[in-house]
């Protein structure tokens, strides 16, 4: 019986994939399986994967003839998984030795539906631990308690699928919106927190997230960035029957939209115009009073960036409490 399935989507990752697979080999157990989805790579990714067939027990490979995107690549991996638990790793990241066993031991001890962990952000030689925004550690919690309040960073602001472990029996709740090529983890994390029974956070930080990798979705400036708006359309649609969570979703979207507006120079003029147009439309579809309250809680620069799109929204007196901007 397989205890853990590790799903690793990768596209054109020859520069870092050997590090990732070596770290998996150092975590291997007879009851672990490793599902690598090669999403239409045209570099040496396929050859590197083949080199590890004898070094990584439990390795299976699915190759897409053309890219389908991160969300669908993860979904293909999910369709092949047979483990009692699931986790994810991107092909340009790596794991500390023994991390996966610690992850399994933690969720088995707590008995919850899913478990979230910290991670280490790696930028060159710099290492910084990023903590999941939940102070209570090692106890079973109600996932809905990880959503609010609106103006403080909570667990739905920490969407990284690879920062945790999940019971496979959660089924469709683990599927990603396949048509999204960026921000696919935003509606995904909201769905987990609204529709599961229990979760926990523990202080494990054995996953190393390699930041500012050329070609990663956080760095590209093409049409995929427009999927940010589609992701929030899904969130708002899902919250139609639970308006108590709408202030949080609006706060999150505004903070992330302001962050994207700060990076408009990476877009072509045509794409920049389309992004601004969609941003304006997204803001104008929000309740005006809620948007006005939300803008009053943002930092000055981000409030100004958004007000440039919707100058008609009334200004409220500055909030006495202005939280730090959301990580974007």
């Amino acid at each position: 019986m397989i205890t853990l399935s590790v799903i690793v989507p990768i596209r054109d990752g020859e520069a870092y994939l050997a590090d990732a697979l070596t770290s998996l080999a150092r975590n291997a157990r007879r009851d672990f399986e490793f599902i690598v989805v090669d999403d239409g790579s045209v570099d040496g990714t396929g050859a590197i994967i083949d080199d590890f067939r004898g070094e990584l027990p439990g390795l299976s490979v699915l190759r897409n003839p053309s890219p389908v995107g991160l969300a669908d690549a993860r979904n293909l991996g999910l369709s092949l998984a047979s483990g009692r638990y699931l986790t994810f790793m991107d092909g340009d990241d790596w794991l500390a030795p023994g991390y996966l066993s610690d992850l399994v031991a933690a969720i088995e001890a707590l008995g919850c539906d899913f478990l979230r962990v910290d991670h280490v952000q790696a930028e060159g030689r710099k290492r910084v631990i990023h903590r999941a925004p939940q102070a209570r550690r090692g106890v079973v919690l109600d996932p809905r308690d990880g959503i609010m309040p609106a103006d403080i960073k909570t667990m739905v602001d920490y969407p990284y699928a690879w920062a945790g472990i999940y019971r496979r029996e959660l089924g469709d709740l683990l599927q990603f919106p396949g048509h999204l090529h960026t921000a696919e983890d935003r509606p995904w994390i909201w769905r987990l927190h609204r529709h599961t029974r229990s979760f926990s956070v523990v202080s494990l930080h054995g996953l190393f997230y390699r930041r500012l990798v050329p070609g990663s979705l956080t760095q590209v400036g093409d049409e995929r960035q427009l999927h940010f708006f589609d992701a929030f359309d899904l969130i708002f649609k899902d919250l139609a029957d639970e308006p108590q969570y709408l202030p949080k979703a609006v706060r999150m979207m505004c903070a992330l939209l302001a962050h994207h507006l700060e990076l408009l120079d990476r877009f072509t003029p045509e794409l920049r115009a389309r992004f601004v147009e969609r941003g304006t439309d997204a803001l104008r579809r929000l309740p005006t009073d809620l948007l006005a309250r939300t803008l009053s809680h943002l930092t000055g620069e981000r409030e100004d960036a958004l007000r440039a799109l919707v100058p008609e929204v009334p200004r409220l007196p500055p909030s006495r409490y202005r939280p730090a901007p959301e990580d974007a």
Side-chain angles (χ1 to χ4, degrees):
M1 180 177 291
I2 299 298
T3 300
L4 177 66
S5 300
V6 183
I7 297 168
V8 186
I10 182 69
R11 177 185 174 188
D12 294 336
E14 65 178 0
Y16 305 107
L17 183 57
D19 291 342
L21 297 181
T22 296
S23 76
L24 290 179
R26 292 171 178 169
N27 275 267
R29 287 186 355 192
R30 293 180 63 183
D31 58 337
F32 289 178
E33 65 177 4
F34 304 96
I35 302 169
V36 176
V37 182
D38 182 355
D39 191 28
S41 296
V42 295
D43 64 357
T45 291
I48 293 171
I49 296 171
D50 289 340
D51 287 344
F52 275 82
R53 289 186 182 275
E55 299 181 33
L56 181 55
L59 173 64
S60 60
V61 182
L62 177 63
R63 288 195 164 99
N64 295 327
S66 58
V68 298
L70 177 61
D72 275 325
R74 283 176 174 165
N75 290 340
L76 287 169
L78 285 169
S79 71
L80 295 180
S82 60
R84 189 159 69 251
Y85 305 107
L86 297 163
T87 192
F88 302 91
M89 187 181 81
D90 289 349
D92 51 9
D93 299 336
W94 76 94
L95 307 179
Y99 168 71
L100 292 179
S101 291
D102 291 342
L103 203 57
V104 169
I107 194 171
E108 290 190 328
L110 290 160
C112 50
D113 284 341
F114 68 99
L115 180 82
R116 303 288 280 158
V117 299
D118 307 325
H119 70 277
V120 182
Q121 184 171 289
E123 186 175 339
R125 296 185 178 182
K126 183 179 179 181
R127 305 287 185 266
V128 179
I129 294 175
H130 281 242
R131 287 175 55 84
Q134 171 56 251
R136 298 180 64 193
R137 300 288 172 115
V139 294
V140 177
L141 303 170
D142 184 338
R144 287 174 172 261
D145 292 342
I147 299 176
M148 299 293 283
D151 294 329
I152 295 175
K153 191 173 182 181
T154 65
M155 289 304 296
V156 291
D157 296 302
Y158 189 77
Y160 318 111
W162 34 255
I165 184 171
Y166 317 89
R167 291 186 179 273
R168 188 165 63 91
E169 65 189 29
L170 293 177
D172 290 346
L173 290 177
L174 296 173
Q175 293 282 320
F176 294 85
H179 62 288
L180 299 181
H181 285 243
T182 58
E184 76 294 327
D185 48 6
R186 296 285 173 175
W188 179 85
I189 196 66
W190 272 88
R191 192 167 62 242
L192 280 183
H193 277 276
R194 291 179 58 235
H195 295 298
T196 57
R197 297 165 299 177
S198 60
F199 88 111
S200 186
V201 180
V202 297
S203 297
L204 285 178
H205 35 79
L207 185 139
F208 292 77
Y209 163 57
R210 201 185 301 266
R211 192 167 178 266
L212 302 181
V213 174
S216 72
L217 292 178
T218 59
Q219 300 298 303
V220 297
D222 60 26
E223 288 198 4
R224 287 174 288 180
Q225 296 297 342
L226 295 175
H227 290 189
F228 159 80
F229 300 107
D230 302 317
F232 276 90
D233 284 346
L234 287 177
I235 293 172
F236 291 137
K237 180 180 179 181
D238 288 345
L239 294 180
D241 59 344
E242 292 191 294
Q244 71 270 27
Y245 295 133
L246 190 58
K248 180 64 174 183
V250 171
R251 172 69 175 85
M252 181 188 295
M253 190 200 78
C254 286
L256 290 167
L257 175 55
H259 169 75
H260 280 291
L261 292 173
E262 294 167 355
L263 302 174
L264 280 182
D265 286 347
R266 63 182 168 165
F267 296 155
T268 64
E270 186 271 338
L271 186 58
R272 189 181 310 146
R274 290 174 60 193
F275 193 93
V276 169
E277 180 182 5
R278 290 203 61 178
T280 302
D281 177 67
L283 292 175
R284 286 179 173 161
R285 285 189 282 119
L286 299 174
T288 301
D289 58 340
L290 177 55
L291 179 57
R293 291 198 305 272
T294 301
L295 294 181
S296 73
H297 282 74
L298 294 177
T299 57
E301 296 82 358
R302 290 191 167 189
E303 180 183 7
D304 291 344
L306 296 180
R307 285 195 176 278
L309 303 186
V310 285
E312 70 274 14
V313 175
R315 286 185 179 270
L316 301 181
S319 171
R320 292 182 180 180
Y321 172 63
R322 284 183 180 267
E326 308 280 6
D327 285 346

